[in-house]
Amino acid sequence: MTTLNRCSKCSTSVGTCTCAGCKDYFCTKHFIAHRKELQVNLEHITDTQNRLLKQFNENNHYSGLQSSLFTQIDQWQSVIIQKVNQTADNIRQQVTQMLNGQREESKVKFQAVVDELRKRKEEDDFVEDDLARLKNSIDQLQQELGEVQQHPFLELHVERSEHIDWNRLIYLEYKSSDTKKKKNLEAKSETSQGFEYDAQSTSTLKSKCNNHS
Ligand SMILES: [Zn+2]
Ligand SMILES: [Zn+2]
């Protein structure tokens, strides 16, 4: 090196030092001042970061979203429970209606036989054929009632809860189509991570002092 570089600050002294960052030349005095300046800037950044970290630790910025999501989940849960209760009530009502209908039918048949028996007895109006027919009617009724108990004519068809894909009924998803975020969500759900201090935010400042002959 033959030409001597002058200090970028004072322009009078020889620039014996260069800053690895801005590539300027400085005399020793101004190089120290330049380093001081960078140190002050670093302090500013550190202060801002500390304030942000304090804010982060003091209040949960995610709590608003969490309570909103929890509210929606609670609503979904109560709607589902209401629907289950309503469906169970409906099917109970159907069972009652169907069985009452059947019972009413049997009762009518019984009453017909009872009425006919009483009438024929009162009026002394019966022959072998009538007795056989009435006995047959009573046997048939007895058989029908026995059948109901031994071979129920109604059965329930139930969609088993293990066959329902519950995880598709309600699930969490990112609003954006950011697949990277989605992957993060999946990874975080497996290993819950705490707050990580980002060393890169206060980037290390490299400098060197070169002596030029
Ligand atoms: Zn200087
Ligand atoms: Zn510099």
Side-chain angles (χ1 to χ4, degrees):
M1 285 279 172
T2 48
T3 48
L4 290 174
N5 292 296
R6 296 280 151 194
C7 170
S8 61
K9 282 280 174 212
C10 57
S11 308
T12 50
S13 305
V14 178
T16 51
C17 303
T18 58
C19 171
C22 61
K23 313 283 185 206
D24 275 350
Y25 287 89
F26 299 96
C27 65
T28 307
K29 181 189 156 199
H30 285 121
F31 182 74
I32 291 166
H34 186 60
R35 290 300 305 157
K36 200 97 195 157
E37 209 181 318
L38 293 184
Q39 264 165 19
V40 168
N41 286 346
L42 176 68
E43 286 310 316
H44 277 311
I45 295 166
T46 309
D47 284 351
T48 310
Q49 178 256 289
N50 282 342
R51 241 178 296 124
L52 189 65
L53 183 60
K54 193 165 174 275
Q55 262 181 30
F56 180 86
N57 288 332
E58 277 171 359
N59 57 75
N60 188 351
H61 296 76
Y62 302 94
S63 63
L65 179 59
Q66 178 173 309
S67 65
S68 155
L69 291 170
F70 275 12
T71 304
Q72 290 173 57
I73 294 165
D74 290 350
Q75 280 167 354
W76 171 84
Q77 188 180 23
S78 79
V79 166
I80 287 285
I81 290 168
Q82 265 175 34
K83 283 197 190 300
V84 169
N85 288 341
Q86 188 61 54
T87 307
D89 284 349
N90 286 348
I91 199 75
R92 276 190 211 101
Q93 218 173 327
Q94 269 187 47
V95 168
T96 308
Q97 275 173 4
M98 294 276 275
L99 296 183
N100 281 352
Q102 287 292 320
R103 198 167 187 278
E104 201 53 45
E105 225 173 89
S106 301
K107 202 173 156 188
V108 168
K109 284 184 201 166
F110 254 120
Q111 198 57 50
V113 176
V114 167
D115 288 349
E116 193 185 343
L117 263 173
R118 195 188 57 227
K119 193 165 170 272
R120 290 194 181 276
K121 207 172 164 186
E122 277 170 10
E123 296 171 5
D124 197 24
D125 173 20
F126 53 89
V127 290
E128 284 83 349
D129 279 355
D130 298 319
L131 294 182
R133 189 171 40 78
L134 285 165
K135 192 181 176 294
N136 191 43
S137 295
I138 290 165
D139 286 349
Q140 216 177 315
L141 273 168
Q142 196 176 15
Q143 204 186 334
E144 272 176 33
L145 292 176
E147 282 278 305
V148 168
Q149 285 177 312
Q150 280 168 16
H151 310 287
F153 58 96
L154 288 175
E155 63 178 2
L156 288 171
H157 284 273
V158 181
E159 184 71 58
R160 299 235 162 259
S161 63
E162 62 264 31
H163 292 161
I164 298 168
D165 194 353
W166 293 93
N167 293 329
R168 299 308 295 174
L169 293 186
I170 185 167
Y171 58 94
L172 205 52
E173 194 178 51
Y174 270 107
K175 269 188 178 174
S176 72
S177 56
D178 194 333
T179 47
K180 196 181 158 194
K181 274 185 177 176
K182 273 182 188 170
K183 275 181 185 166
N184 277 346
L185 182 73
E186 281 158 18
K188 273 179 184 163
S189 65
E190 282 163 22
T191 56
S192 60
Q193 289 172 305
F195 176 72
E196 266 182 69
Y197 174 72
D198 188 0
Q200 292 294 306
S201 65
T202 53
S203 56
T204 48
L205 293 160
K206 282 182 266 171
S207 67
K208 62 180 179 184
C209 184
N210 291 337
N211 280 318
H212 291 265
S213 50

